Amino acid sequence: DAKTTQPNSMESNEEEPVHLPCNHSTISGTDYIHWYRQLPSQGPEYVIHGLTSNVNNRMASLAIAEDRKSSTLILHRATLRDAAVYYCIPRGAGSYQLTFGKGTKLSVIP
Amino acid sequence: EPEVTQTPSHQVTQMGQEVILRCVPISNHLYFYWYRQILGQKVEFLVSFYNNEISEKSEIFDDQFSVERPDGSNFTLKIRSTKLEDSAMYFCASSEQAGAAFMNTEAFFGQGTRLTVV
């Protein structure tokens, strides 16, 4: 599995954009980049995923670097409900499992 | 919106007892998983299950653990003889795709069962 590096924690003010970075320099060419989050006392929740192009959905945007060694999850307007641990997870053909790291704990300040 | 449901939400058991954690995956999903999270630690993979057999398991998933899909809708995790270190949140997950498409597919997680072994 590709290794990932994420900041341990980040803070954002409510209603401001948040950019959550992830380095995955050992990612293989066919690995998708998935993002999940875990709200307090809940199960992980899918956020978004992509391969090469930038992706948008109703929850977030995913910006993938051209060399695919890093990606950034963008929450356009952080709400208090977005306070969670965010995990960047490369997902490739070698394994069916999701490998969770420590993630980034996002705090949202009202 | 379809969801993965897990029961019970909290289970307390005595050390050495058997426990069965139950999950109802999303109905058209083909791939099923169990993960666990010890308090304050990472989410850890236990096992994946497809086509009525285990497709992958971690080192944690030893002979004390077993999984079953008894009736086409439920997916269960059995711990034969619980230990104190089995205390954790256990999450069930399911995904729609199997085969080569799984990398491009999201997994849906349940809210978890908190297992406390005393």
Side-chain angles (χ1 to χ4, degrees), chain B residues 60-84:
Chain B
I60 303 167
F61 194 88
D62 61 21
D63 291 343
Q64 293 297 314
F65 291 89
S66 62
V67 288
E68 196 178 29
R69 189 154 160 81
D71 56 12
S73 61
N74 291 286
F75 179 50
T76 61
L77 174 70
K78 183 194 292 186
I79 308 175
R80 212 157 281 126
S81 177
T82 50
K83 309 185 192 80
L84 294 176

Side-chain angles (χ1 to χ4, degrees), chain B:
Chain B
E1 190 171 313
E3 59 180 14
V4 175
T5 55
Q6 291 185 242
T7 54
S9 55
H10 190 187
Q11 172 123 23
V12 182
T13 188
Q14 294 220 322
M15 193 169 55
Q17 295 295 304
E18 175 183 286
V19 293
I20 298 177
L21 308 184
R22 302 181 191 279
C23 169
V24 180
I26 295 172
S27 63
N28 64 332
H29 284 190
L30 299 175
Y31 237 96
F32 314 112
Y33 311 83
W34 283 101
Y35 289 79
R36 81 170 186 190
Q37 186 174 31
I38 295 170
L39 186 64
Q41 297 189 23
K42 295 190 284 188
V43 177
E44 299 175 290
F45 169 77
L46 293 178
V47 66
S48 60
F49 191 85
Y50 169 68
N51 203 23
N52 281 322
E53 58 183 30
I54 291 172
S55 51
E56 193 174 16
K57 61 182 181 178
S58 71
E59 290 178 357
I60 303 167
F61 194 88
D62 61 21
D63 291 343
Q64 293 297 314
F65 291 89
S66 62
V67 288
E68 196 178 29
R69 189 154 160 81
D71 56 12
S73 61
N74 291 286
F75 179 50
T76 61
L77 174 70
K78 183 194 292 186
I79 308 175
R80 212 157 281 126
S81 177
T82 50
K83 309 185 192 80
L84 294 176
E85 54 264 38
D86 293 327
S87 296
M89 282 290 288
Y90 287 80
F91 296 109
C92 173
S94 68
S95 61
E96 187 176 6
Q97 295 286 355
F102 79 92
M103 295 182 291
N104 192 18
T105 304
E106 63 263 41
F108 293 81
F109 284 78
Q111 292 304 297
T113 292
R114 178 172 300 284
L115 177 65
T116 303
V117 183
V118 297

Side-chain angles (χ1 to χ4, degrees), chain A residues 34 36 38 49 91 95 98, chain B residues 35 37 56 103-105 107:
Chain A
H34 287 245
Y36 283 76
Q38 189 174 22
H49 75 283
R91 198 168 194 201
S95 170
L98 289 162
Chain B
Y35 289 79
Q37 186 174 31
E56 193 174 16
M103 295 182 291
N104 192 18
T105 304

